[in-house]
Amino acid sequence: GPTPHRAPPHTGPEEADRPPSMTSHDAAPPAAPGRNPCCLCWCCCCSCSWNERRRRAWQASRESKLQPLPSCEVCATPSPEEVQSWAQSFDKLMRSPAGRSVFRAFLRTEYSEENMLFWLACEELKAEANQHVVDEKARLIYEDYVSILSPKEVSLDSRVREGINKKMQEPSAHTFDDAQLQIYTLMHRDSYPRFLSSPTYRALLLRGASQSSSEA
């Protein structure tokens, strides 16, 4: 009889080439949150949506320097009081692992998730003591978020960019401090007010209120 035809395995172009501006629900990271609860922790956020080469580069430091890590259970289930505290100040939101996770998901809907990813990458860089790893991380951060060729480029003014270009000749754990502060301020002034009035945050507040009333 005729030999059955076997179609070659399909490899979608989306894995290799991601458009700079995503305009559909496909903009979510490839990792499924349901199967990967650690994505909710700030320490893992950066690696979830990066390619394999970058994951390997960051793994060396994660194994040696970034222990202990916050518990994913705590990240995933913020108390009603913690959720309410996020409206008190942007600092309280950003100090909360669960707050950063929820805020990052909100930024994704506004196509500005790269701001949070850059901030998180800078935090991880500042925790690194091994100079060889610092050099590699700094280069990856530059390629991903500072280079004008990157689709994830963050918005930095020319003064900060010039400073980074000079510091990249001898990178340190604090090469991106000025840029990190600028992006932090941008998120605070631009996205944070919209986050507080968003359906996502209001739903969390209502859930916390119903939990409190049911426990009373």
Side-chain angles (χ1 to χ4, degrees), residues 90-103:
F90 186 58
D91 289 342
K92 289 187 176 182
L93 172 70
M94 292 292 283
R95 281 198 298 265
S96 161
R100 288 190 293 266
S101 176
V102 174
F103 186 53

Side-chain angles (χ1 to χ4, degrees), residues 18 20 142-153 161:
R18 288 189 183 156
Y142 186 91
E143 289 178 358
D144 269 355
Y145 304 108
V146 181
S147 170
I148 59 174
L149 301 176
S150 172
K152 294 188 291 185
E153 177 194 1
R161 283 183 177 279

Side-chain angles (χ1 to χ4, degrees), residues 72-87:
C72 288
E73 288 76 20
V74 173
C75 299
T77 55
S79 67
E81 293 77 18
E82 184 178 0
V83 172
Q84 291 173 10
S85 74
W86 300 343

Side-chain angles (χ1 to χ4, degrees), residues 64-163:
S64 60
K65 295 298 297 179
L66 295 181
Q67 299 292 335
L69 300 175
S71 116
C72 288
E73 288 76 20
V74 173
C75 299
T77 55
S79 67
E81 293 77 18
E82 184 178 0
V83 172
Q84 291 173 10
S85 74
W86 300 343
Q88 296 172 10
S89 74
F90 186 58
D91 289 342
K92 289 187 176 182
L93 172 70
M94 292 292 283
R95 281 198 298 265
S96 161
R100 288 190 293 266
S101 176
V102 174
F103 186 53
R104 178 188 168 188
F106 170 77
L107 292 176
R108 190 179 305 141
T109 68
E110 295 200 332
Y111 309 105
S112 60
E113 184 184 14
E114 67 276 1
N115 289 332
M116 176 64 84
L117 293 176
F118 172 70
W119 188 89
L120 292 167
C122 292
E123 286 294 287
E124 193 165 334
L125 178 68
K126 289 192 293 189
E128 183 54 65
N130 184 312
Q131 185 58 43
H132 293 294
V133 179
V134 166
D135 289 345
E136 175 67 6
K137 283 186 176 183
R139 185 180 63 80
L140 291 175
I141 291 174
Y142 186 91
E143 289 178 358
D144 269 355
Y145 304 108
V146 181
S147 170
I148 59 174
L149 301 176
S150 172
K152 294 188 291 185
E153 177 194 1
V154 295
S155 178
L156 300 171
D157 65 32
S158 57
R159 177 189 62 83
V160 170
R161 283 183 177 279
E162 289 171 6

Side-chain angles (χ1 to χ4, degrees), residues 12-63:
E14 65 273 24
E15 293 180 7
D17 301 305
R18 288 189 183 156
S21 177
M22 301 186 189
T23 56
S24 73
H25 60 276
D26 294 329
R35 295 198 309 271
N36 198 1
C38 285
C39 284
L40 294 169
C41 294
W42 73 269
C43 52
C44 307
C45 283
C46 294
S47 65
C48 289
S49 57
W50 287 17
N51 63 32
E52 187 60 33
R53 177 177 65 84
R54 293 187 174 100
R55 278 200 293 269
R56 286 197 301 268
W58 288 71
Q59 189 64 31
S61 143
R62 185 166 288 115
E63 290 172 352

